[in-house]
Amino acid sequence: MVHMANQIALFFAGYPHDEAVAGVTKHIKDFWERRMRDQIKQYVAEGGGGLHELALEAVKRLT
Amino acid sequence: MSTRIYVPCDAAALAMGADVVARAIETQIAARRLDAEVVRNGSRGMFWLEPLVEVDTPKGRVGYGRVIPEAVEGMFDRNLIEGGAHPLCIGLTEEHPYLKKQERLTFARCGITDPLSIDDYKAHNGYRGLQRALNMSASGIVDEVLNSGLRGRGGAGFPTGIKWRTVLNTAADQKYIVCNADEGDSGTYADRMIMEGDPFVLIEGMTIAGIAVGATMGYIYIRSEYPHAVRTMRRAIEIARANGYLGTNVCGTGKSFDLDVRMGAGAYICGEETSLLESLEGKRGQIRPKPPLPAIQGLFGKPTVMNNVISLATVPIILDKGAEFYRDFGMGRSRGTLTIQLAGNIKYGGLVEKAFGITLREAIYDFGGGTATGRPLRAVQVGGPLGAYFPESLLDTPLDYEKFAELKGLVGHGGIVVFDDTVDLAKQARFAMEFCAIESCGKCTPCRVGSTRGVEVIDRIIANEDRTKNLELLDDLCELLLDGSLCALGGLTPYPVLSAVRYFPEDFSKPASLPVASLSAQEKQPWH
Amino acid sequence: MALIQEVDYGTPARTAGQTFTLEIDGKPVTVPAGTSLMRAAVEAGVQVPKLCATDSVEAFGSCRLCLVEVEGRRGTPASCTTLAEPGMKVRTQSPKLAKLRRGVMELYISDHPLDCLTCAANGNCELQDMAGVVGLREVRYGMDGANHFKTPEKIDGSNPYFQFEPAKCIVCSRCVRACEEVQGTFALTIEGRGFASKVSPGGTQFLESECVSCGACVQACPTATLIEKSVVEKGQGEHSVITTCAYCGVGCTFKAEMQGNEVVRMLPYKDGKANHGHSCVKGRFAWGYATHKDRILNPMIRSKITDPWKEVSWDEAIDYTAGEFKRIQAKYGRESIGGISSSRCTNEETYLVQKMIRAAFGNNNTDTCARVCHSPTGYGLKNTFGTSAGTQDFDSVEQADVIMVIGANPTDAHPVFASHMKARLRQGAKLIVIDPRRIDLVRSAHVQADYHLALQPGSNVAMANALAHVIVTEGLLNEEFVKERCDLVEFEKWRKFVAEERNSPEAMEQFTGVPAAEVRGAARLYAKGPNSAIYYGLGVTEHSQGSTMVMCMANLAMATGNIGRRGVGVNPLRGQNNVQGSCDMGSFPHEFTGYRHVSDKAVRESFEQDWGVPLSDEPGLRIKNMIDAAVDGTFKGIYIQGEDIIQSDPNTKHMTAGLSAMECVVVQDLFLNETASYAHVFLPGSSFLEKDGTFTNAERRLGRVRKAIPPMQGLGDWEITMKLSNAMGYPMNYSHPSEIMDEIARLTPTFAGVTFDKIDRLGSVTWPCNDKAPEGTPIMHIGQFVRGKGRFLITEFVPTDERTSRKFPLILTTGRILTQYNVGAQTARTENNVWHPEDILEIHAHDAEERGIKEGDRVSLTSRAGETTLHAHISERMQPGVVYTTFHHGFTGANVVTTEFSDWATDCPEYKVTAVQVAPARRISEWQEQYLETRKQTTQVQNA
């Protein structure tokens, strides 16, 4: 899951910071099922070690 | 200046031992410390005299015919070097009636010059045609060829200028000139003689064609049975390129034209232009339907001038001396000269270049001296294996495309094969069918199956099986071949067959005879 | 119903704009320039006798039966090779012509056996027909002359599907020309000359020759010389059914020739817009699996996968399944079950599966096997162009000047389109191949790539960025197109990005391994066009950057203006027959039909209203997520229609762990496939010959699948889904699949104009098909992109995490071979096994030598995921460091070795890059031993 989130982050890394974070957030929202989103949110809440900075920020923005 | 002694390097002379004679002469020159050199020229075309040795003397070139190595020492003893008298001496070559009576335009230099000396070539009016062409418009060159009345010498007799005009007017990123040097007809050798005896004239002719129609590449397709011609042409092309006559800057004009030689693989059918193109493209030598004409979609699908060696080799003199000069020779719609090749049962076999209009009788008797056996002449076949058999009674027919067509015969490439009264025309008719069967490419049904059936039907006629019915069937088959074949091989095979039946019916009504030995079992292809 | 006899116009159609009128036997006819007299005659309703002409190949002019007379011209020209001219007056009948034609037939028959009544072609022989037409009454030559039938050459029966009987050959060369012109393989030739001329597959037997068994020669043969063995065995068909092939994404139209409910042969249909009368060995011949003895015809259930199967009635099976699913949902929650549809099923069936999941299961846990092949295509093209589909129809390739093939092997995987493409290449189009392997297109008969960029697997994006860098920095951009058609703000970001030196071919060489000069040359060629088209396959999508690479290609096409007209475009070559369709049908968990997100309120409401149930606005689980969730214990039941996820999906061990953790696995398939080993319910499916519906091919073309025989197990797959849905409590009441399509059209703007009637009328139709384009849309994005402005996306190259190491120093990449298809469920149950009985590991001589591996040795193939063994083939197609195999046979277990890595955007597995080690092996792997054991155990059926 971390690996997947980081992969997504790396794609958006070429864009300006805010655009990139928004991109990652939208992607996770659009394609990840609730269980997966809950898991990654949980993981971030527990520190989110090993997550790409963009992914970390994006997950925090997930509602 | 040292004396030049000429010993031909033409394949016909080589076959008669010219190389050994040349070595014998060189030995004598060395032994006698003479100031002389041996020059290997082309053939004059008097084959019964080969090897014909000539010595340059102040009064002209003195010839010695049928020289054998054993005679050489004696010839030197008798002052060969100054044209001394000898039983083999024929006097001044130029004065020999066989040559003197000819009108040599295409063969003007053949046998006179060293084939691979470009200086010699230029010294004998070479490259004058190209020089003139380079100062003309493309259309002007094509007009000159058109107005000369030159027609394809390969056999079909199609006006060369019209072909060129079509190629000129067809827009394309690439065009080609292809020279058909797959000279496979029985009794023909004019192409070979030019290639071995005066290669630059062919190169010049092709270069003019290239400049005229906008082609930058040319190919000479030579039959594999002509190794000497292949070698000579290849060397001549290298020499022409080294001297700036070929390549990316022809004669300093910035125009491009280059040449390459390609060798055939032994199929008669590749002498047919569309098969030749297939073969040249690396494919199986098989007829392509026309249209599209090669002039529009030829080699590799590009507009292509496809001419015979003699047609192309005649172009330089037309450009040099003008269309009118050439057109003034000949008769009717057959303009210029025909290069007649005398062969078969003939006393003086050889090449005779003469304006159209000369009769068969004049060619065979005035030049050829009648049959070699001395027996009465019974038949002649003109135009190769697909030409009609004419009886003695038609010998006064003038050599002219139209006159021959009227008689369902062919001028063709100008080969004349003579037969005496021992010939059996039924067997010759069978031979014609079998030739078609052996050389058929196998594409169209009339030729592929019909030629084999034709042999069987003639066999039945010879065997006196149901003759009337089988002669009728033969007639139907010939009609089908004539009207239904894809190309001239099947389409013309009825000419020799039907002419044999028509003019020599007695040969088809003899008592039954044993089946004729198959051609393949005979000596391999005697006409080559 | 009767046998459909298509009109043979004798020579191919011409499409010149200029037309003119001429007269044939007094009848005026107007034809395009370049049309033959023969074709003009047929157009005028006049049949000229012929044998060597057929309209799939150019005129040849050899039989001489079609001779005609033209007023004002000498002679009797052949009507096939003579072109029509304005005002020509042609006579096709005269006493002279009749005599010539009879003469030709007399010659033919003089060398042909007179065994018509016992000949396999009896009733369908053109030679026989022509003898009748010309009124041949006598062969005056007799039958005793030289011939080919008295001591005939042996029949060559080496090919499993057709035979070659030289004695019956009339040397018309139609087979040779079909092999050259239609198929482009050049396997056949005429050997010898004159009377001895004969057809030869290169001097050997068909099976040993270059022949690819496409069937074009058999179809072209006018006699029984080349004929299907099925016809020899059964006789001629009596009626035909037009249908669509169920193999690859080319979607060829076929004519099934039938005797009652038995197929006699499948013939490619000339009016098929995708195949124009051509076929490949699979569609043409490999249909015997449909009646293979392995077919399961009764539903079966079992409570544990270690139990033997128990045959039950349909009702019992359905009730059992619905009961289990309801039980699981009650216990584990609504989202604990889901389903997978198949790209091999029809649109209607696929649509129904996702509808059942969304409406009856009440969640969005629907996915489809396109997940593991072309999901990145949908994602990438949607984000750049606005539509999740290829941009062109197949015919567009005829206008392409430069063809760029990336990560695809069309001659093996999409053979019929490959032939189409090769015909264009032979006409002079340029070719760029980007592939780690030297695929056939790189160099084969009369085709040679101008550039073969043999890159390292996993470096696609690096390569594409390098190509883009050259285009941007060498002034090769089509600025005008970009300005007019694309979002300039995004373009500028992209331009700046690719222009960076780190994206240059020189900088990327370290990743791609391709010399920069070659990359520059290829980029210039592509940019120069003028019409450049990209065709790609799974070598693009099945990577960790699969979606990124799709975007890269879209960027390249936009930057050079190669989109929105014929001859250009970005074209996915779809793996299976209905990959496009299954994606269109809303099979993905996050979107409804027509690629509309489930969170889109208006769209969702339209479905809720039509279906009469509330629907979830949350994306559901993808296949891989379902398996992960199953391992985690939150996903317990699955309905799998027509996909063998065990064999086809990566990391088999993980997959089996997931399935084993479920409480109800339902497999609906023709055969007890590998996945069925882990199933509790088996619902027998029906083959394409047994169903009505539509397939959508790679062109977005909907073709009809028509029922040739009734379902052997009693129900169409759509009926099974319907029954299950009803049992689950959500009613469905369709009486025919056409009603399902009507519903799809009603709910999907891009399909609004699609009906079965319309497809029947037009033959096929490409979507979008609606009021704006009532007859479909062969070329997309003309004038404007679907999304408005084309959007360039920044495509940073990110090397995959799957790296070689000392332990796993080689890269394994996987693919497909001509004669086998996908997991082999179909082809491996046909005679196609003659060509490819097992999967083989291709390895470069250097790598083999280093490991002491010889040709044919059994070797082990090991990755961090698992180990299998197979036989090695030392191949010059491979570059050192890269090995290759196919995944057609279950026992090989190629996917035991592949890993869990996948595309960042869509989860499409990274099949194309796995770090492996290869070593000589003496015995099969542990997994394979286990496999054999499990197979034996889990496929047992209890005797009733």
Side-chain angles (χ1 to χ4, degrees), chain A residues 13-32:
Chain A
Y15 286 90
H17 183 79
D18 287 354
E19 205 178 333
V21 173
V24 179
T25 309
K26 182 167 171 17
H27 189 91
I28 292 178
K29 198 162 163 298
D30 281 353
F31 296 100
W32 286 30

Side-chain angles (χ1 to χ4, degrees), chain C residues 128-185:
Chain C
Q128 201 179 43
D129 295 346
M130 287 305 116
V133 163
V134 306
L136 184 70
R137 298 292 172 258
E138 186 190 6
V139 178
R140 291 172 292 169
Y141 303 104
M143 302 302 287
D144 299 326
N147 65 69
H148 296 89
F149 58 84
K150 288 225 167 124
T151 45
E153 259 187 74
K154 258 178 59 188
I155 295 176
D156 175 356
S158 60
N159 183 292
Y161 298 115
F162 62 84
Q163 64 178 43
F164 171 54
E165 187 174 356
K168 290 186 172 159
C169 180
I170 60 167
V171 205
C172 63
S173 292
R174 272 160 63 162
C175 54
V176 178
R177 290 179 287 142
C179 191
E180 293 174 2
E181 296 174 34
V182 179
Q183 167 56 28
T185 291

Side-chain angles (χ1 to χ4, degrees), chain B residues 90-146:
Chain B
I90 60 163
L92 291 173
T93 317
E94 303 281 352
E95 295 301 319
H96 191 286
Y98 199 86
L99 278 181
K100 200 160 165 77
K101 283 188 290 184
Q102 295 192 30
E103 288 147 326
R104 287 206 159 183
L105 307 182
T106 308
F107 278 77
R109 268 172 305 268
C110 192
I112 295 171
T113 54
D114 170 354
L116 289 172
S117 163
I118 201 163
D119 293 332
D120 227 6
Y121 182 68
K122 286 195 282 187
H124 288 81
N125 302 329
Y127 275 124
R128 286 169 44 149
L130 176 62
Q131 287 301 346
R132 181 155 166 259
L134 287 171
N135 292 317
M136 294 168 70
S137 68
S139 193
I141 304 172
V142 173
D143 283 343
E144 200 75 19
V145 174
L146 196 61

Side-chain angles (χ1 to χ4, degrees), chain B residues 347-491:
Chain B
K347 196 164 181 191
Y348 304 125
L351 182 114
V352 176
E353 185 175 354
K354 195 71 187 157
F356 280 97
I358 175 178
T359 65
L360 276 173
R361 192 179 302 283
E362 286 166 340
I364 293 166
Y365 288 99
D366 298 357
F367 286 93
T371 63
T373 53
R375 296 180 68 92
L377 177 151
R378 182 150 184 258
V380 286
Q381 188 181 30
V382 184
L386 308 177
Y389 287 102
F390 281 178
E392 215 275 341
S393 61
L394 288 180
L395 286 192
D396 291 317
T397 310
L399 284 153
D400 166 83
Y401 291 115
E402 277 65 37
K403 289 273 185 245
F404 266 63
E406 281 169 28
L407 294 168
K408 291 196 166 31
L410 302 176
V411 169
H413 191 37
I416 298 178
V417 179
V418 177
F419 299 85
D420 70 13
D421 61 352
T422 58
V423 68
D424 179 340
L425 268 299
K427 290 178 183 170
Q428 290 307 118
R430 184 192 192 279
F431 169 85
M433 275 293 183
E434 195 175 15
F435 182 82
C436 181
I438 289 173
E439 297 296 351
S440 168
C441 77
K443 183 164 177 178
C444 76
T445 317
C447 177
R448 178 175 63 87
V449 186
S451 54
T452 294
R453 294 288 170 257
V455 175
E456 292 164 5
V457 171
I458 295 174
D459 277 345
R460 287 203 286 271
I461 293 167
I462 291 172
N464 199 7
E465 283 175 34
D466 232 340
R467 252 185 197 149
T468 319
K469 218 179 127 198
N470 277 308
L471 276 167
E472 195 184 308
L473 180 56
L474 183 63
D475 209 54
D476 283 353
L477 175 61
C478 283
E479 185 186 340
L480 177 61
L481 279 163
L482 201 64
D483 294 329
S485 296
L486 186 55
C487 82
L489 175 58

